[in-house]
Amino acid sequence: MSQNSFTPGVVAGRLAPDQYQEQFSDLHPPLQDHEALVAADRCYFCHDAPCITACPTDIDIPLFIRQIATGTPDAAAKTILSQNIMGGMCARVCPTEDLCEQACVREAAEGKQVLIGQLQRYATDHLQTKGVHPFERATETGKTIAVVGAGPAGLSCAHRLAMMGHTVTVYDAKSKAGGLNEYGIASYKTPGGYAQDEVDWLLQIGGITVETGKALGDGLSLEALQGDHDAVFLAIGLGGVNALGLKGDDKTGVLDAVDFISELRQASDVAQLPVGRDVVVIGGGMTAVDAAVQAKLLGALNVTLAYRRGRDRMNASVYEQDLAASKGVRIMTHAVPTAVHGNGAVREIEFEYVDDAMAGTGQTIRLQADQVLTAIGQTLNGSGLPDLDGRKIAVNGTGRTSLDGVWAGGDCAAGGDDLTVTAVAEGRDAAMDIHATLMGGA
C-alpha cells in the first residue's frame, strides 16, 4: 500500500516522487544577470558603510556590489573571498537579515534592504563555477601546521595558512570534509552537493592534505600533533548532544535532530527517508528549525516545534521562524517537556506550560508524536584539551589557548556565536596569528 501524509507511524515515501524534487529545491534561486544588476543598483555605496561593521568577516560590501554593478562579478568574488574564503556557503546560510542586511541604510530608511546575501552568492558562484581559484600560494616556508576539524573554521584557517606558504594537514573524524556545512545544514539551503564542491574548490590553493576518519582520542593525540607540527589549530566543533533526561526518552522514535539532518544530507534519495506522521521538535535554534522544516518537506502531516521560552528568546532568527511557519510548522512556546509516553515506541510527549520566569504553571498538554527530534544544544567532547572557559576552550582574541603552539576557533572555542561566518572569521584570524608567530613576528 502506498504511503501518504496520513499514514501513521514512521514511514518513507509519503509524497509523490516529483514532489520531493520540488520540496528540496533551492530555497533562494540564484539571481540572473539582469536581476543582479538591478539589485546592485540599489546600493548607496556608503563611504562609512554600517553593513561592513555588521559582517563578522569584514567584507567590503559596497566595493563588491559596485564591482557587480560595473560588470566585473569575478572581481567582486575576489573582494569577498579575500576576507571570507567560504563566502559562497555563507551567502546561502548566513543570517544576513540579522547582520549586514539589517544594518543596511536602505533597510532603515525604507524597510527594504539591499540583497547583500544574494549578490554575494551571485559573485562567488560566477567565479567558482568556472573552476577558477583567485589566490596563489606564497613561497614555501617549511612550517607545518595540523588543523583538527574540517569544518568552516578549520578549512578557513587551513586555506589562509596554505596561501601564506605553510604546509597544512587537516584531520577530521567524518568520512568527508566540510563539518556542519556538509552534515548539519538543511538540504534546501545547499542543494546539489554544494558543500563538497566548495571544499574541492578551496583545496585548489594547494599545500593542504585532508585526512578523514581521524579524531582526537581516536587516531590522534594533541601531544603527538604538537610534537609533529609547528602549530596546531583546534576546530573540533561540538560533538556531544545534550540528552532530554526525561522518563521514556529512550523509546524508539526519539532522535537527535543533528543526526536526523545529517542522515537527510547524506541520503542519495530523500524519498527513502522515513519520517513520522506526527513530529515534535524540541528546541529553539537553527538546528530545531531546520529539522522541523525538513520533516514537513518529507511529508509529515503535523510538525510542532516546542520551545521553553517565548519566540523573542529563540536563537533562530525571526526570518527562520517565519519560514518554518510558512511551511506549516506549528511553533509552541513556553512549553517544557516532562515525559515521553508509549509502549516501546513514542506515542505522545507531555509538556508543562511555564511562565517567563520558567516557573511551572501546573497546566500540561500531550501531543501525539511518532517521532521526537531533540535540538537542545551540543557539548564539547574530548580529553587533554587546553583550559576551558565554561564548557568551551578558552581563547584570546586571536584564538590562542592555554597551551603554547595551540590555537582554537569555531564552535569549540568560547566567545563565538556559533555561526558559519563567525567560524570562518575565527579560523582566518587564528591563521594570521599563527603565521606571525611562526615567522618570528609575535
Side-chain angles (χ1 to χ4, degrees):
M1 183 181 73
S2 61
Q3 314 292 351
N4 58 44
S5 292
F6 296 96
T7 305
V10 181
V11 300
R14 290 185 177 275
L15 305 176
D18 59 335
Q19 286 183 279
Y20 287 101
Q21 183 174 359
E22 180 182 350
Q23 294 281 66
F24 288 93
S25 61
D26 209 328
L27 179 63
H28 298 296
L31 297 175
Q32 300 303 307
D33 293 342
H34 179 69
E35 292 174 316
L37 290 173
V38 171
D41 194 50
R42 293 193 65 248
C43 183
Y44 286 144
F45 311 118
C46 305
H47 172 67
D48 188 17
C51 56
I52 299 177
T53 304
C55 174
T57 52
D58 303 311
I59 293 170
D60 191 335
I61 294 169
L63 174 59
F64 93 69
I65 295 180
R66 183 182 294 276
Q67 289 167 320
I68 292 174
T70 55
T72 55
D74 290 349
K78 189 167 184 179
T79 296
I80 296 162
L81 297 165
S82 64
Q83 289 295 101
N84 180 348
I85 196 58
M86 307 192 84
M89 178 61 77
C90 289
R92 289 162 165 80
V93 304
C94 186
T96 53
E97 65 277 356
D98 289 338
L99 298 171
C100 55
E101 291 179 359
Q102 185 181 59
C104 177
V105 294
R106 297 207 72 150
E107 167 66 22
E110 305 167 12
K112 185 178 181 182
Q113 78 283 7
V114 174
L115 300 177
I116 298 171
Q118 291 187 62
L119 287 168
Q120 179 168 313
R121 174 177 174 176
Y122 173 79
T124 53
D125 282 3
H126 193 275
L127 180 71
Q128 290 174 351
T129 52
K130 296 179 177 179
V132 173
H133 195 88
F135 305 107
E136 295 181 358
R137 270 170 63 74
T139 304
E140 291 274 359
T141 65
K143 303 293 186 180
T144 68
I145 297 96
V147 173
V148 186
L155 290 172
S156 172
C157 181
H159 183 274
R160 186 57 62 110
L161 288 168
M163 193 167 69
M164 292 185 290
H166 306 298
T167 299
V168 184
T169 302
V170 180
Y171 302 94
D172 196 84
K174 299 282 191 178
S175 60
K176 295 180 183 178
L180 285 178
N181 287 354
E182 173 61 36
Y183 293 95
I185 292 173
S187 292
Y188 56 83
K189 294 179 180 177
T190 57
Y194 179 78
Q196 281 307 297
D197 290 344
E198 186 177 49
V199 171
D200 293 341
W201 173 86
L202 180 150
L203 295 176
Q204 290 178 23
I205 188 67
I208 304 172
T209 301
V210 178
E211 296 189 16
T212 56
K214 293 185 178 180
L216 286 180
D218 183 15
L220 293 177
S221 78
L222 183 54
E223 184 178 5
L225 291 173
Q226 289 177 275
D228 294 340
H229 298 276
D230 296 296
V232 178
F233 179 69
L234 299 177
I236 56 178
L238 299 173
V241 178
N242 291 331
L244 273 179
L246 300 179
K247 178 182 178 182
D249 67 0
D250 58 347
K251 295 186 184 301
T252 302
V254 180
L255 309 169
D256 296 329
V258 171
D259 292 339
F260 175 77
I261 294 171
S262 177
E263 184 179 4
L264 195 154
R265 282 299 304 270
Q266 299 306 304
S268 58
D269 181 5
V270 295
Q272 300 303 313
L273 287 177
V275 69
R277 182 186 66 181
D278 302 296
V279 179
V280 176
V281 182
I282 301 173
M286 294 296 297
T287 299
V289 169
D290 282 357
V293 170
Q294 291 189 121
K296 193 68 179 175
L297 297 181
L298 285 171
L301 180 64
N302 300 303
V303 179
T304 301
L305 191 156
Y307 181 56
R308 59 184 179 150
R309 301 184 188 275
R311 283 185 64 160
D312 60 321
R313 300 287 296 277
M314 291 176 68
N315 287 332
S317 67
V318 172
Y319 170 82
E320 294 288 343
Q321 295 176 41
D322 291 345
L323 173 67
S326 74
K327 298 297 183 182
V329 175
R330 172 196 179 195
I331 298 177
M332 184 174 76
T333 60
H334 296 97
V336 173
T338 56
V340 178
H341 301 284
N343 184 17
V346 58
R347 288 292 175 263
E348 292 182 324
I349 181 164
E350 185 172 353
F351 293 87
E352 180 180 13
Y353 286 114
V354 296
D355 60 22
D356 288 337
M358 294 294 294
T361 64
Q363 302 174 63
T364 63
I365 183 174
R366 286 193 181 196
L367 299 180
Q368 282 191 316
D370 37 40
Q371 201 168 43
V372 175
L373 306 176
T374 63
I376 53 176
Q378 295 174 267
T379 57
L380 180 66
N381 282 342
S383 58
L385 297 173
D387 291 346
L388 302 184
D389 178 1
R391 294 184 292 177
K392 296 187 177 184
I393 298 172
V395 294
N396 69 1
T398 55
R400 296 191 187 196
T401 73
S402 61
L403 299 177
D404 288 341
V406 179
W407 284 253
D411 290 354
C412 71
D417 50 15
D418 296 345
L419 294 175
T420 297
V421 66
T422 304
V424 171
E426 291 174 355
R428 177 201 65 195
D429 294 346
M432 298 300 295
D433 194 53
I434 292 169
H435 174 73
T437 301
L438 296 184
M439 304 310 288

